[in-house]
Amino acid sequence: MIDCAFLPVFYERHKLLKEGLAPPVSADYSKTEAVWIDMYGLGRFETYQFIYADCTDIAHLQEWMIRTKGEQQIKASAAAFREWQQSEMAGGPAVVERKLLNDEQLLHWQEQGYIRVSGLVEAQLCDAVTDFICDFLAVDLADPSTWYKGHTDWHGLMLQQYQHESMHRVRSHPNIKQLFAELYNTYAIIPQTDKGSFNPPETDDWKFVHHLLHWDMNYRKPDPTYIQGLIYLNDVPENRGPLKVVPGFHKQFNDWQQKYPDEIESYQQMRTTLKPEYIAGKKGDVVLWLQTLPHAASCNHSDLPRFVQYLSFNRL
């Protein structure tokens, strides 16, 4: 039995949702659930997939958590979550010491809503994640015929894998936390267990269909300060499917939302009128952007796949 008072609350809520019911929740429930998942080191997709597709009861959920993370890690996570609930977890010094970003970079972030930073993560750590992705998908970089085999965990370009040690080493790198802390202006943050990405070059038979600009948020209730991110695991020149964003749009979003309160119309107008900028980069470059910036991966017209690991932190 996992010693966590929130676990039965979480289970019961999603059990009722599976049954088509809408259980009432407290005002802070969504944040508590997000922090709970992050503290246990679970990916959101893998957690909800298990709950809604496979889970039979709360004992089954606990078995899956222990199998996924290991008993010792689950005990440590339960203790950390209890501490956070009891103290709201200050998370470190109140004043963030700036170590990575200079004044010019911060101004660019404030004005453009995105930033690309080099030299934070060692190349060998990037290579280890790339090797994992290739092994998992049975990809041989010397043989393009292996790049397009389907896999149940490869959706579009998203690789729904979260728990490999190579990915953990990147997301837990102290430079990654420091970068997010400097932009959030707090050390009270925790890494989300996010996924990877594999985007091979387009061919006559394989087309990348997820290149349209979009937002990953609740359009009607966005968090304008939430930061999304990724790290390029190999070199990504402009023809290798780099991230594209609409710079500075975070300053226009409120007016845009008022002009287009209907989400469908907003998307139509966004995709037909806004012009994105392509953010090419080198292996190890970290790109962060505000949630309200329209963004997307782009089509890969190079001779090699693009490899990415997504990065994000949740505020405590």
Side-chain angles (χ1 to χ4, degrees):
M1 175 67 72
I2 298 175
D3 183 14
C4 178
F6 183 74
L7 191 149
V9 177
F10 171 83
Y11 173 77
E12 188 62 25
R13 168 170 166 74
H14 288 282
K15 176 177 178 290
L16 292 174
L17 288 173
K18 280 175 66 175
E19 296 169 354
L21 303 175
V25 294
S26 61
D28 61 350
Y29 177 86
S30 293
K31 177 179 179 179
T32 302
E33 179 175 301
V35 171
W36 183 80
I37 290 174
D38 294 340
M39 284 196 168
Y40 278 86
L42 301 170
R44 283 165 171 70
F45 180 89
E46 64 179 348
T47 302
Y48 298 136
Q49 183 181 50
F50 176 78
I51 285 284
Y52 287 92
D54 303 311
C55 187
T56 56
D57 54 34
I58 191 170
H60 194 198
L61 173 59
Q62 294 183 79
E63 291 170 4
W64 175 80
M65 292 171 65
I66 293 171
R67 185 170 67 251
T68 300
K69 300 301 297 183
E71 188 171 359
Q72 289 303 114
Q73 182 58 54
I74 289 295
K75 288 181 178 179
S77 298
F81 184 75
R82 287 195 300 272
E83 180 182 351
W84 174 75
Q85 283 196 305
Q86 292 166 4
S87 66
E88 297 187 356
M89 211 166 176
V95 177
V96 174
E97 180 184 0
R98 198 197 306 174
K99 299 178 180 179
L100 302 177
L101 299 176
N102 58 36
D103 290 344
E104 182 179 357
Q105 289 172 310
L106 283 175
L107 180 61
H108 183 275
W109 171 257
Q110 293 161 5
E111 294 298 318
Q112 304 300 322
Y114 80 91
I115 193 169
R116 178 174 60 86
V117 184
S118 304
L120 301 183
V121 176
E122 296 82 356
Q124 61 266 32
L125 297 184
C126 298
D127 293 340
V129 183
T130 298
D131 290 344
F132 160 66
I133 293 173
C134 288
D135 289 345
F136 186 83
L137 295 176
V139 164
D140 180 353
L141 289 179
D143 182 1
S145 69
T146 67
W147 299 353
Y148 304 95
K149 296 178 181 179
H151 194 287
T152 55
D153 287 335
W154 183 38
H155 306 155
L157 56 73
M158 302 301 184
L159 180 61
Q160 303 294 348
Q161 283 293 303
Y162 303 85
Q163 299 299 335
H164 197 264
E165 179 61 27
S166 64
M167 300 179 74
H168 175 71
R169 286 195 294 267
V170 171
R171 73 171 64 98
S172 62
H173 196 291
N175 284 344
I176 298 298
K177 180 172 183 178
Q178 178 66 27
L179 177 61
F180 275 89
E182 290 185 28
L183 295 178
Y184 275 130
N185 197 31
T186 179
Y187 287 114
I189 56 177
I190 185 170
Q192 296 185 25
T193 302
D194 225 328
K195 54 190 170 291
S197 170
F198 175 73
N199 184 9
E202 285 197 326
T203 68
D204 291 340
D205 299 319
W206 192 89
K207 300 295 182 183
F208 178 52
V209 298
H210 301 284
H211 56 83
L212 297 177
L213 291 172
H214 62 274
W215 291 288
D216 300 307
M217 63 184 187
N218 183 333
Y219 180 73
R220 292 172 177 81
K221 295 182 179 180
D223 178 355
T225 65
Y226 182 77
I227 300 170
Q228 296 180 252
L230 58 78
I231 181 170
Y232 288 141
L233 301 173
N234 62 337
D235 289 348
V236 182
E238 192 162 312
N239 68 340
R240 192 164 289 154
L243 177 77
K244 56 186 179 183
V245 302
V246 181
F249 192 81
H250 61 301
K251 293 187 172 183
Q252 308 172 37
F253 181 80
N254 287 340
D255 291 339
W256 180 276
Q257 188 185 45
Q258 292 176 17
K259 185 176 181 181
Y260 301 110
D262 179 81
E263 188 172 357
I264 295 176
E265 183 183 6
S266 174
Y267 266 80
Q268 290 173 338
Q269 291 296 325
M270 178 256 288
R271 290 170 174 171
T272 56
T273 63
L274 301 182
K275 302 300 180 185
E277 178 178 320
Y278 291 74
I279 315 301
K282 296 291 187 179
K283 179 195 298 185
D285 283 3
V286 175
V287 185
L288 305 184
W289 66 96
L290 287 169
Q291 188 179 48
T292 48
L293 257 61
H295 65 279
S298 54
C299 298
N300 186 347
H301 299 296
S302 73
D303 57 354
L304 285 173
R306 183 198 80 159
F307 294 87
V308 156
Q309 179 175 337
Y310 293 97
L311 302 168
S312 52
F313 276 70
N314 195 20
R315 283 166 293 189
L316 293 169

